[in-house]
Amino acid sequence: GRIKYNMGGSDMKVQVRSSDSQIGGSTTTWGTSGGSTTQTFTEMTYSWRQYKYLPFINDFQTQLNENASSKAKLFEMAKVQIEEVEQSASIRMNTHAYGDGTTLSTGDETGSTPIDGFESIIDDDNTYAGLARSGNTYWQGQIISSTNPSQDDNNNDLTNLYEAMMQCFTACSKGRGAQGLSLANEVASQFDEPEDILTTETLYRTYWASLQPFERYAPGQAMGPNMTLKFGKCNVDWDQYCTASRVYFINWKHLQLWCAGSKLITQHGTIKKSGPVGTEYVLLGQCQLIATGPRYLGAVRTTGS
């Protein structure tokens, strides 16, 4: 539900509130205080990011399949081509979703710019969506550092990683820089807190190992392959595309993937080629990953082991 389609337009601007409202409060019997202006909006400005895929089908391959006893082979060939594009697009988007909005991967065009990823969105000292974060905690993500995550420096039976995760969770829940139920486009009516935690396979195992001394099992209960690790109410998952040495705390309410068209990628025509002979299919898409409340997102950054 966080993917928004048909959001096209030359400008990507989102109106958000930048502080808690203090429009009114208690009063005297006579109510002598004057009217107050409502809290103004701040404008966040984003840029569309372009993606292109050009699968090529050789006409000789097409001819062979057309002359076969059944056209099923032709359909199967097209199916394989489409699956390759889907796989490539999935890998690229997953990689960029964790990135810093500048680092290119194999297959990206030189000079292109990927979507803003978690490394760009969940930060505390860069400029994001046109808003400078330096000195402005209201727009800063919650960044917690953890050295030697598998160790217990405090000798309190909690690993350094576990303690950092506790600190990050509470920081994301209250949204540093906000005094209470912060205003968004809609008035907040309940406590915000992270929903999911995403990390690397290595840090996933480190967190899992930290729980072993405290795990209890009912008689006959086994740890099956579908077991889900939890941190409070959050699911903890690992992703092969996750940035190294990171544990991300995600509140999906404050993240959206905007797509300019009705689909993430659509076909915009074909191009006949003569060398080699075949048809090139033009698949295009424009999108951007945006966060209207980055202070409710966090990352534990680890060093050491």
Side-chain angles (χ1 to χ4, degrees), residues 50-304:
Q50 291 72 36
Y51 287 81
K52 177 181 70 175
Y53 302 89
L54 301 175
F56 178 83
I57 297 181
N58 188 295
D59 279 356
F60 287 111
Q61 291 178 304
T62 303
Q63 186 182 53
L64 290 174
N65 283 278
E66 284 176 343
N67 293 330
S69 58
S70 172
K71 290 186 178 181
K73 291 184 178 180
L74 174 62
F75 297 140
E76 180 65 22
M77 182 183 66
K79 178 176 180 292
V80 171
Q81 294 279 350
I82 292 172
E83 287 179 346
E84 181 181 353
V85 172
E86 290 177 344
Q87 183 182 42
S88 176
S90 176
I91 292 173
R92 187 66 64 247
M93 294 303 296
N94 282 332
T95 301
H96 289 174
Y98 285 103
D100 59 7
T102 60
T103 302
L104 299 179
S105 306
T106 302
D108 295 328
E109 287 187 5
T110 302
S112 65
T113 304
I115 60 171
D116 291 327
F118 289 170
E119 278 296 282
S120 172
I121 293 172
I122 308 175
D123 204 348
D124 58 359
D125 63 359
N126 65 341
T127 296
Y128 175 65
L131 302 175
R133 284 170 157 164
S134 179
N136 188 350
T137 57
Y138 210 83
W139 301 115
Q140 293 176 3
Q142 311 306 319
I143 305 300
I144 307 297
S145 298
S146 176
T147 303
N148 299 325
S150 63
Q151 305 302 311
D152 176 13
D153 290 346
N154 294 331
N155 296 317
N156 61 355
D157 295 327
L158 297 176
T159 64
N160 297 338
L161 176 62
Y162 195 95
E163 290 196 272
M165 291 173 67
M166 291 172 63
Q167 186 178 355
C168 194
F169 181 89
T170 55
C172 291
S173 298
K174 65 185 179 183
R176 181 180 58 187
Q179 289 73 47
L181 293 176
S182 304
L183 289 174
N185 287 340
E186 66 281 0
V187 177
S189 59
Q190 57 185 346
F191 198 60
D192 269 323
E193 60 183 24
E195 300 171 293
D196 285 304
I197 296 175
L198 302 172
T199 187
T200 64
E201 181 181 0
T202 298
L203 289 174
Y204 179 87
R205 291 199 303 265
T206 299
Y207 172 67
W208 190 356
S210 73
L211 303 179
Q212 292 297 312
F214 310 105
E215 288 182 342
R216 297 292 184 270
Y217 304 100
Q221 183 182 24
M223 291 177 59
N226 296 324
M227 183 196 71
T228 300
L229 285 187
K230 304 284 286 188
F231 184 89
K233 297 179 181 179
C234 297
N235 289 333
V236 181
D237 296 299
W238 67 273
D239 192 332
Q240 62 178 317
Y241 301 104
C242 184
T243 305
S245 306
R246 296 290 187 268
V247 182
Y248 294 110
F249 286 69
I250 305 301
N251 184 331
W252 298 110
K253 173 183 176 181
H254 299 287
L255 279 173
Q256 296 179 2
L257 179 66
W258 282 23
C259 300
S262 59
K263 297 179 181 179
L264 181 61
I265 301 171
T266 56
Q267 181 176 327
H268 283 258
T270 59
I271 302 174
K272 293 295 293 183
K273 299 282 188 176
S274 59
V277 179
T279 302
E280 194 172 73
Y281 293 82
V282 182
L283 307 177
L284 304 176
Q286 296 186 80
C287 58
Q288 180 59 281
L289 184 63
I290 71 172
T292 55
R295 65 185 175 279
Y296 294 110
L297 308 173
V300 174
R301 298 175 177 176
T302 68
T303 54

Side-chain angles (χ1 to χ4, degrees), residues 4-16 42-50 114-116 128-131 256-261 285-292:
K4 305 297 181 183
Y5 297 103
N6 296 315
M7 303 297 289
S10 58
D11 294 328
M12 293 181 67
K13 296 181 179 180
V14 180
Q15 301 291 325
V16 292
T42 297
E43 189 172 78
M44 304 182 80
T45 304
Y46 301 87
S47 298
W48 291 110
R49 301 306 185 203
Q50 291 72 36
I115 60 171
D116 291 327
Y128 175 65
L131 302 175
Q256 296 179 2
L257 179 66
W258 282 23
C259 300
Q286 296 186 80
C287 58
Q288 180 59 281
L289 184 63
I290 71 172
T292 55

